[in-house]
Each structure stands twice: as C-alpha cells, then as structure tokens.
Amino acid sequence: MEGAQTLDKRGKTEQNKRKIPRDVEMDIEYLYEIVPQLSTVFRITDKIGEGTFSSVYLGEAQMASGKRERFALKHLIPTSHPVRIAAELQCLTVAGGKENVMGVTYCFRKDHHVVIVMPYVEHQPFVEIVASLSFEEVRQYIYHLLKALKHIHKFGIIHRDIKPTNFLYNRREKKYALVDFGLAQGTPDTQIELLKVVKSQKTQKVGGSAGKSDEKRALTPLPPNTKIPVPHTSTKTAAKRPCPPIRTKHSKELMGLCKTSRSVFGERNLNNINSTKNPVDKVEGHLLKPTKTEDVVSRRFVANKRRPLPARASVSIQKPKPTAVKPSLTCSCYLSDRICNICLSRKQQVAPRAGTPGFRAPEVLTKCPDQGTAIDMWSAGVILLSLLSGRYPFFKASDDLMALTQIMTIRGSRETIQAAKKFGKAIVCSRELPPLDLRVLCETLRGIRSCGDHSFPTEFKASHHPAEITQDQTRTAEEEIAQSTSESRQENGWNNVPDHVYDLLDKLLDLNPETRITAAATLHHPLFQDIAD
Ligand code: ADP
Ligand code: MG
Ligand code: ZN
C-alpha cells in the first residue's frame, strides 16, 4: 500500500520514532492504509483526540502557495450511519467557518471510512487552564461560546454536546471554535436538511449513560430515494502537492484529553455526607429506582460494576403527569428500595439523551421528549459555573439521577421539582435541598471567600475542598493559599467580579427550558455591554 510505504519511509526518521508512541504510530499507519489518498496530501504527525465515535489526528500539508498548514483529520468510526456522517458534515459546511464555529476544508472517503479535514486549532486541555484564567478571559470565553451558539441555533441546530472539549480555545491567539456535530439534531424548522432525517432513537444500552450517548448514531430509516449529499467528499486525492516530512512539536499535551480532574461533585464526595451507616445496596435501590424496565437493568448493571456510594439525597423520576403527583397514589414502591410491578410495567419513554451527564439539562436528564436549543444553553451555564468556580468538571455523575441530584444541590430541590412539573415530569426527592447563592458558591470554591460563610452548606466545605487535606490542615493551607494568591487574584480580576456574571449564570442555569435565556438574548446581556462586534 502506498500509504503504508510512505509512512515506512518517513517513519525511519529517528526523531519521529522518539516523538510518537508506538501505538499512535500504528494508528497513523493504519489510517494511511485504509484511506491511502491521505498520504499524498498529509504528513500525519500525531493523534490528538480519541472518542467513542472518532479519532482525530494532526496532519500537515504543503499548500499550493508553498506554505505548510496544519489540519485536524477526524476519522469517523466506520460503523457510523452515512446520513449521520453527512449531517455532521452539513452542519460544518452550512453553519461552520464563521462565528466561532469550526468549518471544514475537505473530506476524504474510501469505502466506509470517512475523514473530515478541518483547520487545526491549537488548544490546551480545559482542565489545565480553568483555574488560571483571568476574569476577563472568562468573560471573553463565554461570550465567544454564546456567539457560536447563537449562530448554530439560528440554523436550527441543537448541538447537544456542549462542553469544553468541544469548544476549542487557543488562549494565545484568542481563537475559539465549536466542534463536534456528531450528536447534533435539528429543530422542527432546521435549515440543515440532513438533520431532518437524523432522529434519535431509543437505543440506550446497558451502562451506556456514563460517557457519550449510545444514541449518537441512531437514525430513522431513510425515506426511499433520499439523496445523501456529502459535501466536498471525494475518493480522489485533493490537488495538493505532497509535503516533505517535517518534525513538529505536537503532542498529547495539546489535547483535551482529560487528565486530572478537580470536580466539585463526585459520587464519592457526596456520599461521605449522610451515609456512614447506610448499607450501600439499600441506598442504591433508592437512587436507582427508575420508572422503566430497561433502566432498571442498565442502572443495576452500573451499580454492580461501580458500587456507587449513596448521594446525599435520593431521587427518582416518576412517569410524566401533567398534574401534581400525590406520591402515595402513584405506586407501591414510592421511596422504598424496591421497584414495584406498576413501575416495572410502565411504558418506556422515548426521549433523546445525548451528551455527557454533567452537562445535561434537567429536561434531558428527566427524558422530556420536547427538547430544544435551550439544552445547549444549560450546558453553557455549566461551563460558566466551572469557569467562575475554577473547578472542572463541576458536575461529575455516572448516571442521570446522580446528575439530577447534583443539580438540586446547587439549584434547590423544590425549585427543580417545580420546574420539572412544568415540563410534565414528577421528581421525588427524599430530602429538601435549599438553592445555593451562586456567588457564594463560586467564590468559596475559588478560595476567595472563606468556607466559614454561614450560607454555605457544611457538608460541601468538608468534602469539596480542593486537594485531599485533612480538617486540621485545612485552615493553614487555606491561609497560605489566600496569602500567596491574593495579589494575583487582584490582577486577574477575581476580587471584583460584577453581579452581572452571576445574573447571566442564573439565567443560563434556569431549570425551566421555557424561560431559560436564549443565545441571542445573552449577547445583549449587560455583562457584554462593552464587547463590540
Ligand atoms: P468526538 O466526536 O470523538 O468527540 P471531536 O470532533 O469532538 O470528536 O474531536 C475530538 C477532539 O479532537 C476534540 O476534543 C479536540 O481536542 C480535537 N479536535 C477536534 N477538532 C479539532 C480541530 N479542528 N483542531 C484541533 N483539535 C481538534
Ligand atoms: Mg467531542
Ligand atoms: Zn412503583
């Protein structure tokens, strides 16, 4: 194979051998083999992203002008449905290339292998920069994300997977790019033709809620004679000159692959709170009481594998009821650790559940079938929460009920229940959780405000303080950090955070999708008054 030979020749460079790990080298070799046209255009130097549905590589090409340029090459898993692939491409071609939305340069196809070529945006993992960003950088970051959202929403695209790894940020060059339309869906009036074909089907599998949704490639059957216009796709080689081997510095550090995480929530953290005597299985039963047979199986599976400890409150979602629910009337297992026959026989609710649990809006977590662009706004709110608190990931949950519990801890249980009622969902929570003041929450987590603040729940302080330090050490460490960082904080603007940002955060994290702020409206928010564009 031409591709393989080319690589062999190039692979002999000593530097190359040292730079690229063997497994990555093999992956690159394989990519050249399956899509040989690539080798005549690109010198692939690294793997920069790997997900469930794609692998992304860094490639360099010599342009006709003589300039060398870097590209991101996204190789989609060959089992992806052609329409799904075409829809992802159509989002990039129709809406991309402007307003902080990634565009597409080219697309290669060989048999069922598709490689999308995009301009490369160098970026650092969010987790590495989140705590060091100045307030002004945060304001700019969120502004540019909202701008991208306004743009795609105008096209009737619901991204469905808004999170930092899908919003690339080049800190040095102040460049931003929204990527990954692999889960996107269309609004009823979407301008992306193929999103009308792409529909989510309920294909959730056992244990499937932890990472990316299994529904990613779910499709409705194509109507007969549907044309699939794959934009810019070619099985031929692009008319570009092959480039000579070049040594580059790119490596894994650039990528958004999550390394260490300092989440505010983790199931373990939450658990220390009320649980010392609770046998794990009992509380699991509580937590995992779903309304559908399928979920019973899947959640049990997850529970057996991971044995999560109890959260501070148990939550369950009852079947949708437009009117208020009297728990005692719903079934015989209310707030018990068993699932009654009524619940087991409930009809399964079909609703899209794409995305990552920690970024899912309440209406997604409760499987509300009617989901719109507001779900992306919620996710943007979670990102802002991370940016303001300096913690990422903020919510870390392996399943939807855990994620919902974590939301209630911040936004209040009564408030969440009330909002859910508006979209036809009844949530049952065993304990009342008051809503937290967002400023107090963020400032405490950031270390600007002392943990002694009375409006901050005690359990939060002990179990969520950064680093694993004992109670005794806490104060000293805190004082030290406070002293050493007070100056830099001043410079970074964290001592004078305007109320506007917490107002915006509150509007993004509106539990009710009907009243949640739209992307277009956010750009007129007073927080961005002086940002001319
Ligand atoms: P997936 O569907 O597998 O999540 P993405 O499109 O999100 O695929 O890409 C995965 C990762 O690859 C991203 O998080 C990012 O780190 C990297 N990546 C994707 N596109 C680009 C790009 N154009 N420039 C630089 N890095 C990119
Ligand atoms: Mg992604
Ligand atoms: Zn029941």
Side-chain angles (χ1 to χ4, degrees):
M1 286 242 170
E2 197 200 334
Q5 280 166 7
T6 318
L7 182 79
D8 283 344
K9 256 185 267 150
R10 290 167 183 167
K12 287 202 177 103
T13 343
E14 276 306 305
Q15 298 143 337
N16 224 1
K17 282 238 147 86
R18 255 183 283 128
K19 281 227 156 272
I20 311 172
R22 186 63 199 140
D23 55 334
V24 171
E25 211 172 62
M26 279 163 70
D27 288 349
I28 294 172
E29 210 165 307
Y30 173 69
L31 185 62
Y32 279 129
E33 247 169 60
I34 52 173
V35 190
Q37 312 97 287
L38 289 174
S39 68
T40 57
V41 184
F42 296 103
R43 173 176 146 64
I44 302 170
T45 54
D46 206 353
K47 188 186 236 183
I48 55 181
E50 176 146 39
T52 322
F53 301 102
S54 78
S55 296
V56 182
Y57 297 86
L58 175 66
E60 291 192 352
Q62 176 127 15
M63 310 309 284
S65 66
K67 241 179 90 189
R68 279 195 289 268
E69 259 176 49
R70 291 185 295 179
F71 294 91
L73 312 174
K74 181 170 177 172
H75 175 220
L76 300 160
I77 53 154
T79 51
S80 304
H81 195 290
V83 182
R84 183 69 261 185
I85 295 173
E88 181 169 353
L89 266 167
Q90 205 169 53
C91 290
L92 292 165
T93 51
V94 176
K98 45 190 164 308
E99 303 289 301
N100 304 322
V101 180
M102 178 54 69
V104 60
T105 310
Y106 208 78
C107 184
F108 289 90
R109 202 194 103 203
K110 172 87 192 295
D111 305 324
H112 44 279
H113 290 279
V114 173
V115 175
I116 301 175
V117 181
M118 300 166 276
Y120 174 70
V121 176
E122 194 175 333
H123 59 283
Q124 278 172 282
F126 189 77
V127 68
E128 283 175 17
I129 59 168
V130 67
S132 70
L133 296 171
S134 69
F135 176 70
E136 182 53 21
E137 282 175 294
V138 163
R139 192 173 74 109
Q140 293 287 339
Y141 179 102
I142 204 74
Y143 173 81
H144 286 279
L145 170 64
L146 294 167
K147 202 167 132 178
L149 290 179
K150 178 190 170 185
H151 183 68
I152 62 161
H153 291 170
K154 201 174 72 192
F155 284 88
I157 300 170
I158 311 170
H159 185 282
R160 302 194 64 84
D161 200 14
I162 296 298
K163 56 181 176 182
T165 49
N166 287 335
F167 188 61
L168 314 181
Y169 172 42
N170 183 324
R171 199 174 178 183
R172 200 165 30 88
E173 294 173 29
K174 301 273 169 252
K175 276 191 184 153
Y176 309 83
L178 180 61
V179 299
D180 197 358
F181 289 87
L183 286 170
Q185 281 182 8
T187 58
D189 58 347
T190 183
Q191 292 173 43
I192 312 297
E193 287 304 311
L194 289 166
L195 287 183
K196 292 178 181 163
V197 186
V198 176
K199 286 259 162 62
S200 176
Q201 268 173 357
K202 186 76 185 119
T203 56
Q204 199 199 333
K205 290 183 197 111
V206 164
S209 63
K212 276 208 159 181
S213 167
D214 292 311
E215 293 139 309
K216 178 151 176 167
R217 312 291 160 177
L219 294 160
T220 46
L222 279 178
N225 304 323
T226 304
K227 278 198 210 140
I228 307 170
V230 179
H232 302 302
T233 301
S234 169
T235 51
K236 286 187 227 125
T237 304
K240 289 170 184 166
R241 275 189 290 135
C243 62
I246 313 149
R247 202 185 131 206
T248 57
K249 281 205 202 130
H250 292 282
S251 61
K252 284 233 158 83
E253 305 104 65
L254 294 171
M255 302 338 308
L257 304 169
C258 197
K259 285 170 205 150
T260 46
S261 63
R262 284 204 315 158
S263 65
V264 174
F265 289 99
E267 284 155 46
R268 211 163 272 280
N269 285 348
L270 276 164
N271 293 330
N272 303 338
I273 299 157
N274 66 348
S275 59
T276 34
K277 282 190 214 115
N278 276 342
V280 168
D281 285 331
K282 170 136 168 66
V283 186
E284 257 172 33
H286 254 244
L287 245 176
L288 303 175
K289 192 182 84 179
T291 54
K292 308 178 305 317
T293 323
E294 199 184 59
D295 268 16
V296 176
V297 179
S298 69
R299 296 235 165 80
R300 284 227 167 117
F301 178 82
V302 172
N304 285 341
K305 277 196 87 169
R306 305 207 186 135
R307 305 194 65 77
L309 295 164
R312 54 183 289 192
S314 62
V315 180
S316 68
I317 305 161
Q318 308 272 315
K319 101 177 162 183
K321 279 195 188 346
T323 49
V325 180
K326 262 231 172 116
S328 56
L329 299 177
T330 52
C331 69
S332 55
C333 68
Y334 173 69
L335 283 187
S336 79
D337 60 354
R338 269 173 304 161
I339 299 138
C340 73
N341 286 338
I342 300 169
C343 286
L344 281 173
S345 62
R346 284 179 203 274
K347 219 175 119 236
Q348 188 177 308
Q349 178 129 30
V350 178
R353 272 178 61 259
T356 311
F359 293 91
R360 284 184 191 145
E363 68 271 27
V364 180
L365 294 171
T366 55
K367 301 193 178 186
C368 178
D370 191 19
Q371 298 173 15
T373 51
I375 69 166
D376 291 341
M377 302 313 292
W378 175 275
S379 310
V382 176
I383 296 179
L384 182 56
L385 186 58
S386 261
L387 290 165
L388 294 175
S389 63
R391 300 300 191 87
Y392 176 78
F394 194 93
F395 297 118
K396 197 160 176 254
S398 61
D399 69 44
D400 287 351
L401 289 185
M402 186 59 77
L404 201 58
T405 311
Q406 295 178 354
I407 288 174
M408 287 201 227
T409 310
I410 304 294
R411 302 303 272 159
S413 54
R414 199 184 299 173
E415 289 74 5
T416 309
I417 291 164
Q418 258 163 22
K421 210 187 270 177
K422 295 204 181 98
F423 50 81
K425 292 288 174 179
I427 302 172
V428 177
C429 183
S430 67
R431 201 176 118 184
E432 179 154 352
L433 307 162
L436 300 184
D437 180 289
L438 294 172
R439 182 189 275 274
V440 172
L441 170 71
C442 293
E443 291 187 349
T444 308
L445 291 171
R446 196 167 261 287
I448 291 171
R449 192 181 283 258
S450 99
C451 290
D453 193 296
H454 63 278
S455 55
F456 208 61
T458 38
E459 53 258 54
F460 225 100
K461 297 168 206 164
S463 57
H464 304 295
H465 200 274
E468 311 280 308
I469 41 181
T470 65
Q471 292 282 29
D472 283 351
Q473 293 169 306
T474 309
R475 177 151 300 164
T476 344
E478 239 169 51
E479 280 164 2
E480 266 171 34
I481 293 165
Q483 242 178 357
S484 67
T485 55
S486 85
E487 244 170 66
S488 68
R489 241 190 260 125
Q490 204 105 44
E491 278 167 30
N492 282 334
W494 287 107
N495 279 348
N496 284 312
V497 176
D499 285 333
H500 290 319
V501 76
Y502 291 105
D503 178 73
L504 177 65
L505 180 60
D506 183 56
K507 290 179 162 126
L508 289 168
L509 295 180
D510 184 339
L511 296 156
N512 182 359
E514 288 292 311
T515 50
R516 196 174 301 146
I517 196 165
T518 64
T522 56
L523 299 186
H524 297 121
H525 191 276
L527 179 66
F528 306 125
Q529 212 171 23
D530 60 316
I531 305 182
D533 230 30

